[in-house]
Amino acid sequence: MQERIASPAKTIEILQANDFQFAKKFGQNFLIDLHVLDKIVRSAQIGPEDVCVEIGPGIGSLTQVLAENADQVIAVEIDGRLIPILEKNLADYPNVTLIHQDFLKLDLQAKLDEMNVTRPIKVIANLPYYITTPIIMGLYESGIPLAGMTVMVQEEVARRMQAGPGSKDYGALSLAVQYYAEAKIAAFVPQNCFMPRPNVGSAVIQLTSHVDKPVKVNNEKLMFALIKAAFGQRRKTLVNSVSNSPELSFEKAQVIAALQKLQLSEQIRGEALTLAQFAAMANELEEA
Ligand code: SAM
């Protein structure tokens, strides 16, 4: 086993040797806790068959551990100053492919095709928090075969992804994520596990992709538009939030009729509906 990049002493040595200043705009909070790295690898159940895609490798702290456990690692980093550091730190790991690009602009499927990767990938990352949701939802909506995602996010966001109806954390993100995956918080990670320390607590969330979608919905777009409308006006009844939504064109009577068919109260708020009920509402309203 090689010396760990993520130890506090080694991280400081690398940062000083390269005169590296953190760029706030890129959400740079490097992991300096070896137990957390271990937890991520164990939660993702990374084995010698796996192809991992890492978003934002930083100086390679997590990349190194992934490379030692997986078949291949594709690491995508936006900050050009980190590329020579990564090349040097990961020189002993021929199974790492470094890509210097904004992950949000990368055609990942094209890259996977170019590398002849056919099996579902595992996405692993200590995410830059300013783009957590676009990264996760972008990956799901891309249709790229995913075995799972194991990602460090703000604690509050992890709670939202895992929440169900009745919880104050339940919202559009909970439903969007749970449509694609089973969400489970694998670890809470305190601020002192990072350099520099972030302002908020973090958590590792394990998103294990569903083999079959948990609900049958004929029009996904409509279901997500209903969810967006329901939580955009959280304190209103579903009838009002859906019929007032500028993105939807349903009359109050249509929404009431759909609710009646599902034996739900006219007074119900969106925050009380399960994913299955949103899917059923979408199916009813589509017919309408
Ligand atoms: N993986 C490293 C670790 O755990 O120590 C670094 C994690 S740090 C929270 C986030 C990393 O994502 C930084 O290296 C940052 O430069 C990179 N990053 C930020 N925005 C990005 C983007 N749009 N595409 C790719 N990488 C990005």
Side-chain angles (χ1 to χ4, degrees):
M1 195 172 84
Q2 299 251 349
E3 184 186 5
R4 285 282 165 256
I5 296 168
S7 76
K10 186 73 187 169
T11 299
I12 291 170
E13 183 192 312
I14 294 169
L15 296 175
Q16 287 182 345
N18 292 280
D19 200 14
F20 185 82
Q21 307 295 325
F22 292 102
K24 239 186 162 177
K25 66 172 176 179
F26 290 143
Q28 292 175 339
N29 299 96
F30 296 167
L31 259 172
I32 51 163
D33 187 298
L34 304 181
H35 299 290
V36 176
L37 290 183
D38 195 46
K39 190 95 198 172
I40 293 173
V41 172
R42 272 191 288 129
S43 175
Q45 299 187 348
I46 293 167
E49 305 278 287
D50 286 325
V51 176
C52 295
V53 171
E54 188 192 2
I55 301 149
I59 56 171
S61 316
L62 177 56
T63 329
Q64 176 186 41
V65 187
L66 297 177
E68 287 177 6
N69 287 275
D71 176 28
Q72 288 187 64
V73 183
I74 302 165
V76 186
E77 175 56 60
I78 197 172
D79 188 345
R81 301 171 307 155
L82 289 167
I83 301 299
I85 303 177
L86 283 162
E87 280 167 349
K88 183 157 177 267
N89 289 352
L90 301 169
D92 292 335
Y93 299 93
N95 59 341
V96 176
T97 304
L98 279 178
I99 301 175
H100 174 208
Q101 202 170 334
D102 177 346
F103 185 78
L104 291 174
K105 296 194 180 139
L106 175 71
D107 185 344
L108 182 58
Q109 185 61 67
K111 195 71 204 169
L112 295 172
D113 292 344
E114 189 188 309
M115 294 175 70
N116 291 322
V117 174
T118 49
R119 68 192 100 141
I121 56 165
K122 290 187 174 174
V123 172
I124 317 286
N126 169 17
L127 284 177
Y129 293 163
Y130 72 107
I131 43 171
T132 300
T133 308
I135 286 183
I136 293 178
M137 293 320 299
L139 276 163
Y140 282 135
E141 285 160 14
S142 73
I144 290 171
L146 293 170
M149 292 198 223
T150 312
V151 288
M152 179 88 69
V153 297
Q154 288 179 26
E155 183 179 325
E156 176 220 326
V157 176
R159 287 187 194 280
R160 276 165 38 205
M161 289 187 202
Q162 196 191 241
S167 153
K168 68 169 176 31
D169 297 320
Y170 186 54
L173 184 65
S174 325
L175 287 154
V177 163
Q178 291 166 27
Y179 180 62
Y180 294 101
E182 186 194 336
K184 195 163 182 282
I185 293 177
F188 291 102
V189 182
Q191 281 128 300
N192 59 7
C193 294
F194 301 88
M195 189 182 292
R197 290 161 62 110
N199 296 329
V200 290
S202 302
V204 177
I205 188 141
Q206 174 63 42
L207 304 171
T208 307
S209 299
H210 295 306
V211 179
D212 294 309
K213 293 272 181 333
V215 295
K216 222 178 120 20
V217 60
N218 304 327
N219 184 340
E220 280 180 10
K221 263 195 165 160
L222 174 56
M223 179 177 77
F224 285 119
L226 286 176
I227 291 170
K228 194 174 159 206
F231 289 97
Q233 296 185 305
R234 205 182 166 108
R235 307 309 299 165
K236 291 203 168 159
T237 63
L238 191 68
V239 172
N240 282 335
S241 55
V242 169
S243 58
N244 288 341
S245 164
E247 286 169 41
L248 293 165
S249 50
F250 296 107
E251 301 293 330
K252 267 190 182 179
Q254 290 175 302
V255 186
I256 292 171
L259 283 171
Q260 279 170 348
K261 268 210 161 165
L262 301 174
Q263 298 183 321
L264 293 171
S265 153
E266 274 178 40
Q267 298 306 319
I268 201 163
R269 290 185 185 148
E271 63 189 9
L273 262 63
T274 62
L275 177 62
Q277 287 169 325
F278 272 111
M281 273 301 281
N283 290 342
E284 286 298 332
L285 283 171
E286 203 189 17
E287 274 184 30

